[in-house]
Amino acid sequence: MRTMARTLLAAFVALLLVVSPCHARPAPQHTAKSSSPKEHKAVVDGITTIYNFGDSLSDTGNLLREGATGMLQYTTGPPYGSAIGGATGRCSDGYLMIDFLAKDLNLPLLNPYLDKGADFTHGVNFAVAGATALDAASLAKRGVSVPHTNTSLAVQLQQFKDLMSTSTRSPQEIRDKLAQSLVMVGEIGGNDYNYAFSANKPAGNGERSLYNFGRMATGVVEAMALVPDVVRSITSTARELLDMGATRLVIPGNFPLGCVPSYMSAVNETDPSAYDANGCLAPLNLFAQMHNVLLQQGIRELRRSYPGATVAYADYFYAYVRMLRDAGEAGFDEGAVFEACCGAGGDGAYNVDVDRMCGAPGTSVCARPEERISWDGVHLTQHAYRVMADLLYHKGFASPPPVVFPRST
């Protein structure tokens, strides 16, 4: 009981970090605008366009253009984006998985949908940090509020439809365009669970008591109850895109939450039985896997309904675990795989302080971000995102392969 209570407390406290998205200043021009067609290399596997839906794991600047709100004022500038010349709206020190995927496809970086002056010829990014799979009204009926953005997955899908209606002349033209496109549906859904935890935060100063344990247990139950609806929202969106003509979709699962430094720091559990063989908190990983299992069931149904399309499951969970296991080979500091690069944890094992996120007074950045997996305790470093992209799209962790890359010579 004691271990479970502390794990539940960890889930809530750490989720408070996750639900507060990264914000940033507008991107430097050299990273915001698409390259000219003359700079493009050969088309890879017939893909000329990427459309991306999601949250802070792939937002490249939409939230800041919405007018970001929240407590994390310190994440609106440096050191975010320090590896790419300045803050751009990406929740990392540099580029994200979606950026590396675009580069690997010889395509320009995706511009955010809300950058109305941008070139959308080769793709659009609809992802917004803090976004949810369910809309705000649906969550409100369950007593869950959405604090940062109303741009849910349904809103992002409508934005896509609006763009298609203004840039094409017929449904057939949309189908023709989608036939040459890669469509990324997520990762999204994690914030739905986070906000459910937040709605049942401990009273007072978070002291341990039967009452607060009851509140946290309620949060866990309500988050679990959301899983079928969250998964249904994701697969329904994918179904609409397939009906419109999409032929290649990627649907990612959730990260192993129990391996994320912010969660691990919050619980600071000393009981070895709470951890798995990789050093991660087992109960939180089980919750993430519950979402992933249901999502994969939904993906199998999509494959049966659309046998002519490729619907890939991007296994963020096990790609992350592989990155942990092979940390040294990938160039990470094996002694710091659970330690955030930017934070204020002092001599703690995770360098995470829930009251001072990266960029706040008293926080500092590690000397070698490229040797860390975690950037701010929640999001990953540019190097980690590069490794994840390689595992997913070049080493089989997205299955079936959504893209066939040419073999290196």
Side-chain angles (χ1 to χ4, degrees):
M1 176 67 75
R2 183 180 71 87
T3 298
M4 180 59 69
R6 293 182 67 176
T7 302
L8 290 171
L9 179 60
F12 167 72
V13 175
L15 286 168
L16 290 182
L17 290 178
V18 178
V19 301
S20 298
C22 272
H23 313 144
R25 297 169 183 164
Q29 186 169 352
H30 69 276
T31 60
K33 303 302 179 182
S34 295
S35 304
S36 67
K38 293 182 180 180
E39 297 173 359
H40 295 167
K41 298 180 181 179
V43 172
V44 176
D45 200 18
I47 294 175
T48 62
T49 311
I50 304 175
Y51 297 107
N52 183 73
F53 304 84
D55 55 23
S56 65
L57 294 185
S58 59
D59 183 2
T60 56
N62 279 313
L63 183 65
L64 80 92
R65 290 172 172 84
E66 283 189 359
T69 60
M71 296 184 294
L72 297 187
Q73 58 181 307
Y74 302 107
T75 61
T76 60
Y80 288 86
S82 56
I84 55 174
T88 63
R90 294 167 171 83
C91 291
S92 179
D93 63 321
Y95 292 125
L96 313 177
M97 282 183 280
I98 190 64
D99 297 309
F100 291 115
L101 179 58
K103 289 182 177 183
D104 290 348
L105 289 170
N106 293 333
L107 296 175
L109 301 184
L110 291 187
N111 287 307
Y113 173 73
L114 295 180
D115 185 356
K116 297 304 183 183
D119 180 3
F120 296 150
T121 302
H122 295 283
V124 188
N125 193 346
F126 300 95
V128 181
T132 52
L134 301 177
D135 60 44
S138 297
L139 289 169
K141 292 178 181 178
R142 297 168 169 81
V144 178
S145 61
V146 179
H148 298 292
T149 178
N150 289 323
T151 309
S152 64
L153 184 56
V155 173
Q156 294 179 34
L157 178 61
Q158 186 58 52
Q159 291 174 339
F160 171 78
K161 292 177 178 179
D162 292 343
L163 179 67
M164 289 295 102
S165 68
T166 58
S167 62
T168 61
R169 293 170 292 182
S170 68
Q172 185 57 49
E173 188 174 343
I174 295 174
R175 301 186 74 84
D176 292 342
K177 192 170 185 63
L178 286 174
Q180 302 177 68
S181 302
L182 182 65
V183 182
M184 314 290 294
V185 187
E187 183 273 338
I188 196 164
N191 288 319
D192 300 67
Y193 309 137
N194 300 340
Y195 299 148
F197 278 93
S198 182
N200 295 278
K201 63 184 179 181
N205 295 320
E207 63 273 3
R208 296 179 184 179
S209 67
L210 185 60
Y211 174 72
N212 276 341
F213 178 80
R215 286 182 61 84
M216 289 185 290
T218 299
V220 171
V221 171
E222 291 186 355
M224 292 176 66
L226 287 175
V227 174
D229 290 337
V230 166
V231 169
R232 190 176 302 112
S233 174
I234 295 169
T235 57
S236 295
T237 297
R239 188 174 294 275
E240 285 201 55
L241 291 163
L242 288 162
D243 285 340
M244 293 177 70
T247 60
R248 280 187 274 192
L249 268 71
V250 177
I251 305 177
N254 275 346
F255 279 147
L257 302 181
C259 303
V260 176
S262 55
Y263 292 78
M264 303 180 78
S265 173
V267 66
N268 197 26
E269 180 58 66
T270 58
D271 185 350
S273 67
Y275 296 88
D276 61 22
N278 300 305
C280 304
L281 285 166
L284 289 177
N285 279 357
L286 287 174
F287 177 83
Q289 282 292 60
M290 181 174 72
H291 168 95
N292 292 343
V293 168
L294 287 179
L295 182 60
Q296 290 177 79
Q297 290 177 356
I299 290 173
R300 285 193 290 270
E301 293 176 5
L302 289 173
R303 290 170 181 160
R304 287 192 290 267
S305 299
Y306 302 89
T310 297
V311 184
Y313 173 67
D315 197 339
Y316 281 17
F317 189 102
Y318 282 109
Y320 194 109
V321 170
R322 173 62 64 84
M323 180 168 60
L324 286 176
R325 291 176 178 174
D326 297 341
E329 295 178 15
F332 297 110
D333 181 348
E334 292 181 281
V337 294
F338 298 124
E339 185 175 343
C341 172
C342 182
D347 295 328
Y350 309 108
N351 193 34
V352 173
D353 182 337
V354 296
D355 296 318
R356 290 183 295 173
M357 280 291 287
C358 175
T363 62
S364 60
V365 180
C366 64
R368 297 182 178 84
E370 69 278 4
E371 294 183 0
R372 298 294 174 85
I373 290 176
S374 177
W375 166 244
D376 58 10
V378 178
H379 306 96
L380 307 189
T381 61
Q382 172 176 262
H383 182 199
Y385 281 133
R386 171 74 269 184
V387 172
M388 286 288 295
D390 284 342
L391 287 168
L392 291 163
Y393 305 113
H394 296 278
K395 298 183 180 179
F397 281 82
S399 179
V403 181
V404 178
F405 287 97
R407 292 188 178 184
S408 302
T409 56

